[in-house]
Amino acid sequence: NVAGKFVVTATQMLESMVTNPLPTRAEMTDVANAVFDGTDAVMLSGETANGSFPESAVATMAAITRNAELVNNYYAMSSFVRDFTPKPFTTTESVASSAAKVALDCKAVLCVVLTEDGKAANLVSKYKPTVPVLVVTPDIDVARGTSAQFGQYAHVMGGFDRMPSGEQGETGVTFKAGGTMATAVAAAREGGLVPKEGGVVVLVAQSGEG
């Protein structure tokens, strides 16, 4: 987690479900502990490849991970990762870690990341935000990669409508106040990532290197 590497926990996690409709208590604990330890994804193999109850195995693993996430202490996990990540941070990592903290502090409902290469979104996920991360990107390969990253959902756009360099002003903002941002939030609403009553949305726009 500190290194920001993608982690998938797999192999024999619900092995008894190859022949039985229910897992053992030890297997359920293993899946939950993987979530508590900060894994990005858990994976089945023999349970679905040649097991007698593949659908039940998938549903069981999904239920365990959902319940584990409800009781996970993401504040402690994020603080641990931040404290032990070597300093100084790059600009992108500093913004990403701050976005995860802001989402927690202001009880946001969504974090939107505008990125072309996916690096900013992956750094946000590194700090285990407590909200879904909508990754808005023009790259279909980056969008596909979000399916296994922690908390990420993809939205593919043809491109970002950037402001001309002469109009960015002292803030350095490179994206227009409508267009891309408005479309991203609208997509989040349509996808059910934002509750009907609305809420705070944290926006991260990766507009350059570093």
Side-chain angles (χ1 to χ4, degrees), residues 191-205:
L193 298 179
V194 176
K196 292 182 179 179
E197 60 270 20
V200 176
V201 174
V202 178
L203 178 67
V204 177

Side-chain angles (χ1 to χ4, degrees), residues 9-32 42-65:
T9 307
T11 307
Q12 298 180 335
M13 298 202 75
L14 299 178
E15 182 68 13
S16 68
M17 292 194 73
V18 171
T19 56
N20 295 292
L22 295 174
T24 65
R25 184 166 53 185
E27 289 170 340
M28 296 174 66
T29 302
D30 286 344
V31 175
V42 289
M43 189 179 80
L44 296 168
S45 49
E47 299 91 334
T48 52
N50 59 3
S52 301
F53 308 96
E55 293 182 359
S56 295
V58 173
T60 298
M61 178 168 276
I64 296 170
T65 55

Side-chain angles (χ1 to χ4, degrees), residues 42 71 106 112 156 158:
V42 289
V71 299
C106 66
V112 177
V156 178

Side-chain angles (χ1 to χ4, degrees), residues 92 112-124 133-140 142-143 146 152-153 155-157 159-160 162 175 180 203-208:
T92 302
V112 177
V113 182
L114 308 182
T115 178
E116 294 178 340
D117 58 13
K119 292 180 180 178
N122 292 342
L123 284 173
V124 171
V133 179
L134 180 66
V135 182
V136 182
T137 178
D139 191 322
I140 187 64
V142 171
T146 64
Q152 291 187 14
Y153 299 83
H155 179 68
V156 178
M157 295 185 66
F160 300 147
R162 303 176 185 276
F175 297 99
T180 300
L203 178 67
V204 177
Q206 181 184 354
S207 58

